[in-house]
Structures are given as C-alpha cells and as structure tokens.
Amino acid sequence: MSTSPYIVDITVENFQQIILEGSMQQPVLVDFWADWCAPCKALMPILTKLAEEYQGKFILAKVNIEEQQELAAQFQVRSVPTVMLVSQGQLVDQFNGAKPESEIRAFLEPHLTNPVEQLKEQIRELIGAEQLDQAQMLLQQAISQLPEDYELQIQLARVLLQKSQASEAKAVLDNLPETEKGRPDVQGLQAGLKFAEKAPSAEELAALGERDDSEARYLKALAALVQADYDRAVTLLMAIIRDDRGYDEGVAHKTLLEVFALLGEGNPLVIQTRRKLFTLMY
C-alpha cells in the first residue's frame, strides 16, 4: 500500500470517492494491473514517479484486477496493463501496454491544469458572471491557503470595491508589501478608492435629478463607478471631454485614465474607449 497522498489503491469501497468524486477536482489516472504481469511491473515505477513529480495535478489510482474483479469487469478491462484517465467523472483517454516515460508525459499533459490557475480561472468566471459574493468567499479561502499569492489579494480588493465595500478593500491594499503597491493594477484600485470617497451620497445623487451640466455628469459618473457601472461612467466622462474638456482642470480626462488603470488595459471597454478618446482628442 502506498503512503503517497497522490497514489491510492482502489477497492469497491473507495472507488466512488477516489475515482468518480475525486476526478471532479483533478484528473485520476487509473492503472489496472496484476502481480503476474511483467509489463505492469515495468510501467508502475514510471507512473509512481510521475505522480510524485506532478504533486497532485493528477491522482494515480491502482486497481489490482485479481483482487478487484468487479471493478475490472465494470471498466471492461480485457488485458493489463490498461491505463485510463478519468476527469469530471468521465473517461477521457486511455492506453494499453507498457509505454516509455516520454509517451506517458505526452499522454498526460493535455489533460493537466495547474490547480492554482484553475482556481483563479474559476474566480474570474464568477466575477464575470457578477457572482461577487461567491467570488469573495472563494478568494478568501484561496488566500488562507496561498497567503503570498498577491494576485489573489489584489483580486479580492477589486471584488470588495465592486461590492461598494471601500474600507474593506483599502484594508486589503494597505496590507500588501510595498513592492506590490506600485503595480499599475494596484494603482488603479487605489483610484477606485478615491472614486468611493468623492462619490455623492444617495441623497445628493437624487438631488441632481435630470441635471446634465458637467458637474452633474461628473458626480453621476463617480456614483456609477462606485456601483461598478463602468459603461455608464465612461459614457458620462466621455461626454464631459467632448463638450467641456477643460471642466475642473480636465478632471474628466484624468478620471477616465484612472478608470483604465482600474479595469486593466486588456478590458474590452478600455480598448474600445481608448479608440474613441483618441478620435475625440486628436
């Protein structure tokens, strides 16, 4: 029996937990083998080495077909060694017979994802779907496990700011090392905190009513930024630049550039607005 956390001997009792449920978290490489099988004995050290090397990117599940005949029949194993890759509860690939290490690596690589990157992608998807409470919860869990991954902390500050929790976002940013505080994305979030400080209260916003002068547009843009309504904020700021570029010493243009920093240069809204801004300015 293996003592490695990445290698498990499979029985009927743990099959559901390790292979079906476990493959929802990371791929499971199922190795069907037998004591009398010489190719199995040649293959197993290679699989063991890779399982240890990949450090949890996949789990090696070993099935002795003589002891687990029911599982061998369920998977329709007709010869050994047979190696199957299960991901998300589904059989996604397999091979038969012993293979050299290089071929097994090539077999594995397309199916393996860095767990941290997978987690970050999940968080990005939640934010994209505006499921900010779930994103915050996942970020806080991830940070507790990866306290030195400052990307996660910066993302948490961004989510808190989008939820209008400016003081909590500020606390996260203040806790970053000095070496991280100069990053453009952090500077953008600091700008977001300024928006929250300057934004009108709900009563002040209501008092603006249908006013459409530069001051009203600017205050409404700040309110939109606090609510993470970036499309409306950008539209209002661009209107000021178009109609009253010198308002308050060009504050609309300066604020728009801070919005670009907050959202990041790869954001589609930033790319689109930069083109319009260039046309407007020149």
Side-chain angles (χ1 to χ4, degrees), residues 100-160:
E101 182 178 324
S102 59
E103 288 189 29
I104 299 172
R105 286 182 184 276
F107 171 86
L108 285 169
E109 284 296 340
H111 304 287
L112 302 185
T113 306
N114 183 305
V116 175
E117 289 305 315
Q118 197 171 24
L119 176 64
K120 289 180 178 179
E121 179 59 30
Q122 186 179 356
I123 291 167
R124 285 192 289 269
E125 289 175 359
L126 287 171
I127 294 171
E130 298 185 356
Q131 297 179 22
L132 299 181
D133 289 339
Q134 295 92 320
Q136 179 183 345
M137 182 176 65
L138 200 57
L139 278 163
Q140 289 169 334
Q141 291 174 356
I143 289 168
S144 68
Q145 298 172 24
L146 302 163
E148 295 186 3
D149 190 326
Y150 301 118
E151 293 285 349
L152 293 170
Q153 296 182 39
I154 293 166
Q155 192 69 284
L156 175 60
R158 191 183 304 278
V159 167
L160 290 169

Side-chain angles (χ1 to χ4, degrees), residues 216-235:
R217 285 174 173 175
Y218 187 66
L219 290 173
K220 289 176 181 178
L222 290 177
L225 287 170
V226 171
Q227 296 299 319
D229 188 352
Y230 300 113
D231 287 295
R232 174 167 168 73
V234 165
T235 298

Side-chain angles (χ1 to χ4, degrees), residues 198-224 232 236 247:
K198 294 179 181 178
S201 66
E203 294 78 12
E204 291 169 332
L205 186 62
L208 292 174
E210 298 300 317
R211 278 180 54 189
D212 197 35
D213 57 275
S214 295
E215 180 187 32
R217 285 174 173 175
Y218 187 66
L219 290 173
K220 289 176 181 178
L222 290 177
R232 174 167 168 73
L236 289 164
Y247 167 70

